[in-house]
Amino acid sequence: MATVNAGKTGVLQGGANADFATARSTGTTLISTNPTSANASAIGYIFSATRGSGVHLIRRVYVYFDVSSHTGTISNVVLNIAGNTQANATVRVVPSANAFGGDGSSDIALSEYFTGLDFSNPYNDSAASLDSTGINNLALNSDAASDIQNNNAFILALVQADNDFANNSSGTTQSSGIAFGTTITLTFDESSPALPNILTI
């Protein structure tokens, strides 16, 4: 089994805005770049009621892995994350093609909050719960395996499932934390590419 440590991480926030679509699509705050301490609400949707309406705020975690040396057939991909404090937001894992410059050449940027996210092809097949303590092991699907096998960079975003991923402004606050002091890792099985047949005379 192969293990790859996260090369770069970041937490970005959208909002606070009375319009849910704007909060979801427009980054407003770079919360942390390559954090090393715990964040109790790293992933989440936060709704604050105001007179006559409300304010929406969304947080996402972005992770970059260098997988350039892994070119065999990839299977059984698991994303391993240490939880922290809060754990009432379930999580979807989505591709984030533009984060970290798209290739890990730069740290996370606020402009990468929404551009390049692919909500239509998530890397996990259903919402995953995060325990507030210990390591959470999130099984990823064949799309993740294919991207690890075929690309030099594997970049993902962890987004809150019920509102952010589902594009649904329910007005219910949900957050989950990550202990960034524990390295986020990918584990997977890798088989060597088949050797070509060699004809002998």
Side-chain angles (χ1 to χ4, degrees), residues 101-122:
D103 58 5
S105 60
S106 61
D107 288 334
I108 195 70
L110 189 57
S111 60
E112 297 163 345
Y113 172 77
F114 188 77
T115 58
L117 290 184
D118 185 358
F119 289 92
S120 63
N121 294 289

Side-chain angles (χ1 to χ4, degrees), residues 10-17 20-33 35 37-48 55-63 84-86 88-94 96 108 110 112-114 117 119 130 156-166 168 172-178 180:
V11 183
L12 300 181
Q13 178 175 292
N17 201 289
F20 174 74
T22 300
R24 189 168 176 260
S25 62
T26 307
T28 57
T29 308
L30 200 165
I31 300 295
S32 55
T33 299
S37 57
N39 185 322
S41 57
I43 307 162
Y45 167 74
I46 300 166
F47 178 80
S48 300
V55 171
H56 308 274
L57 185 151
I58 293 170
R59 284 188 177 182
R60 301 172 182 146
V61 171
Y62 302 76
V63 189
N84 175 256
T85 309
Q86 298 190 77
N88 61 1
T90 56
V91 173
R92 297 303 297 265
V93 184
V94 300
S96 183
I108 195 70
L110 189 57
E112 297 163 345
Y113 172 77
F114 188 77
L117 290 184
F119 289 92
L130 296 183
L156 57 85
L158 295 133
V159 304
Q160 182 259 9
D162 291 347
N163 304 100
D164 189 9
F165 179 81
N168 172 37
T172 301
T173 293
Q174 298 179 356
S175 294
S176 284
I178 293 179
F180 288 103

Side-chain angles (χ1 to χ4, degrees), residues 113-196:
Y113 172 77
F114 188 77
T115 58
L117 290 184
D118 185 358
F119 289 92
S120 63
N121 294 289
Y123 282 143
N124 60 341
D125 292 330
S126 60
S129 298
L130 296 183
D131 291 335
S132 60
T133 58
I135 303 296
N136 296 277
N137 308 118
L138 280 60
L140 304 188
N141 57 27
S142 59
D143 289 336
S146 177
D147 284 350
I148 293 168
Q149 179 178 334
N150 295 313
N151 300 313
N152 290 330
F154 181 66
I155 306 173
L156 57 85
L158 295 133
V159 304
Q160 182 259 9
D162 291 347
N163 304 100
D164 189 9
F165 179 81
N167 193 18
N168 172 37
S169 58
S170 68
T172 301
T173 293
Q174 298 179 356
S175 294
S176 284
I178 293 179
F180 288 103
T182 300
T183 302
I184 298 172
T185 66
L186 275 179
T187 56
F188 49 83
D189 294 329
E190 179 178 12
S191 58
S192 299
L195 295 175

